[in-house]
Each structure stands twice: as C-alpha cells, then as structure tokens.
Amino acid sequence: MEKAEDLLIDTCLLAGKIMMESGSEVYRVEDTMNRIAENANEPNSNSYVTATGIFMGLKSRHYTQIENVGERNINLEKVEAVNQLSRKFAEKSVDLPTLYQQLKKIDKETPEFPLLLQILGAAFLSAFLMVLFGGDWLNFIPTLFIGGIGFFIKYEVKQNFDLRFLDTFFASFIIGMLALLFTQTGLALSFDYMCIGAVMPLVPGVAITASLRDILAGHLVSGLVRGTEAIIVAASIAIGIACILFIFGGWLP
C-alpha cells in the first residue's frame, strides 16, 4: 500500500511538472493533480503549485513531496496530452502504473514542429501582422525575411547560452539591424512597421494571458511571477530595438 501511495504522488507530481513547464495555468495544474489522486481513491489530497515548484501530499501520509519546475516553455500539445491521459484514468481505461509510464513518455518524446516549419510560421506571422498594423505591402517580403531570421537567432541563442532573456534581446537587436539595413538600401519603406511585425513572434502573449488567469483565480504568487517574467521578456525586446535606435538612429529617414 505504501508503494502504491508513493507511485500516486510521483504520478501527480510528474503530471503537474509537465503541465507547468509547458505553459499551463496553475489552477488547471492543481485541478489535474487532485483529480488524479481522487480517481486513485485518495480524495483527501493537497497540492500547491507555484511557477517554480510543485508540492503534493496526501492526508493519509505525514510528509509532502516537492518537484522543481525547470524551463518554462509553451507546448500546449503536452498540456492536452496530460489532460487526455487524466481523463482516461478517470474512465478506468488505464491503471496508475500505465498512467505514470505514459506521462514519462509524454515528457520525453512529445514531438515538436520541425525548426524550419517554426521559422516559416514566424516569418509569415511577422509579415501579415505588419500589414495588419498598417504597414505597406512593399514591406511584406523584407518583413517575412526579418521575422524568420529573428526567430532563428532566438532559437540558436537559447540552445547555446544558458541565460534567460538573452535570446530575446539578441533576436530583437538583429531584427532592428536588418530593418535598418533594408530601409537604408531602399528595399523597404518603413523601419517602424517592419520592427513591429517582426518582433511579434517574440512577444510573450500566452505567458501574459496565463498570468492574468492565475491572478483572477486567486493564485497571486504564481500570477505575479509569470507576469514579471513576461514583462522582462517584453523589456528585452524593447531594449534590443532601443539599442539600434540609440546607435544608428541618425541613419533613419
């Protein structure tokens, strides 16, 4: 019985860790963990989730286990996969050991979109948003190129440097330089609209939304932490573009 309870806590912690690292809201993580425990015949469970750590305990036990939350990304496919597994567990389609093994598989093997497809998505998003914000269609191809390069720079810096927010700063800096280059060579018309469109894939929109939802749900600590993180990311974008304006602002028409 003791081993079964240990497995239950490990399963709940793993489910919560996957969801938090994939961008889920705190209240959704706690609800999933408590439902897994309830469906495992442990209705008296306690879970406490923050942006950096997860606590889980059963009232039948005299201790609580903790799981650290590492890198926080946006991978809603993992969140959906955990939700589907928890529903299957509630329907008794899978047992607890199988649930735990499937969660480990989700954590390690959930595929992501190929890098090339991500770059193309960011490029077209940048170009169409530039037009949506009022830019000229003559800026479409340059913004397409700049947005794709900016996203690629962000990816490469994040892979090679273990320093948060540096990737966003470098990406926005390169975006500003390329926008200035296209403007000076006459290949594009508007530095401002190209920058606005190209930085949009870098903007932490999901993090801001999750932060507000956590605050409205009463999870003030996690909501404020996520909100602060999103503000720093936005500031990194602004500082990267501001550096270009400060250094080369005299070159702009």
Side-chain angles (χ1 to χ4, degrees), residues 193-206:
Y193 285 114
M194 284 192 298
C195 285
I196 291 172
V199 301
M200 290 309 293
L202 311 179
V203 174
V206 176

Side-chain angles (χ1 to χ4, degrees), residues 99-198:
L99 174 62
Y100 182 68
Q101 293 301 322
Q102 290 294 320
L103 286 172
K104 290 174 66 176
K105 185 176 181 181
I106 290 172
D107 190 27
K108 301 296 183 183
E109 301 179 10
T110 300
E112 295 184 351
F113 290 108
L115 178 60
L116 179 59
L117 186 59
Q118 294 182 47
I119 293 173
L120 288 175
F124 279 98
L125 176 66
S126 301
F128 282 113
L129 284 177
M130 180 276 301
V131 175
L132 183 64
F133 289 139
D136 196 287
W137 280 97
L138 294 176
N139 297 321
F140 186 88
I141 297 299
T143 307
L144 187 81
F145 176 78
I146 294 171
I149 292 296
F151 185 87
F152 176 72
I153 293 296
K154 181 180 186 300
Y155 176 85
E156 286 296 319
V157 172
K158 187 173 183 178
Q159 294 291 13
N160 294 284
F161 295 94
D162 188 18
L163 184 61
R164 294 183 64 83
F165 314 117
L166 184 66
D167 55 340
T168 309
F169 169 78
F170 268 112
S172 61
F173 186 84
I174 295 299
I175 286 171
M177 285 194 64
L178 291 174
L180 179 66
L181 179 63
F182 274 103
T183 304
Q184 289 298 312
T185 55
L187 297 176
L189 300 177
S190 175
F191 173 85
D192 296 339
Y193 285 114
M194 284 192 298
C195 285
I196 291 172

Side-chain angles (χ1 to χ4, degrees), residues 21-23 72-76 206-207:
E21 290 183 346
S22 301
R72 289 178 295 279
N73 296 307
I74 303 300
N75 192 333
L76 299 183
V206 176

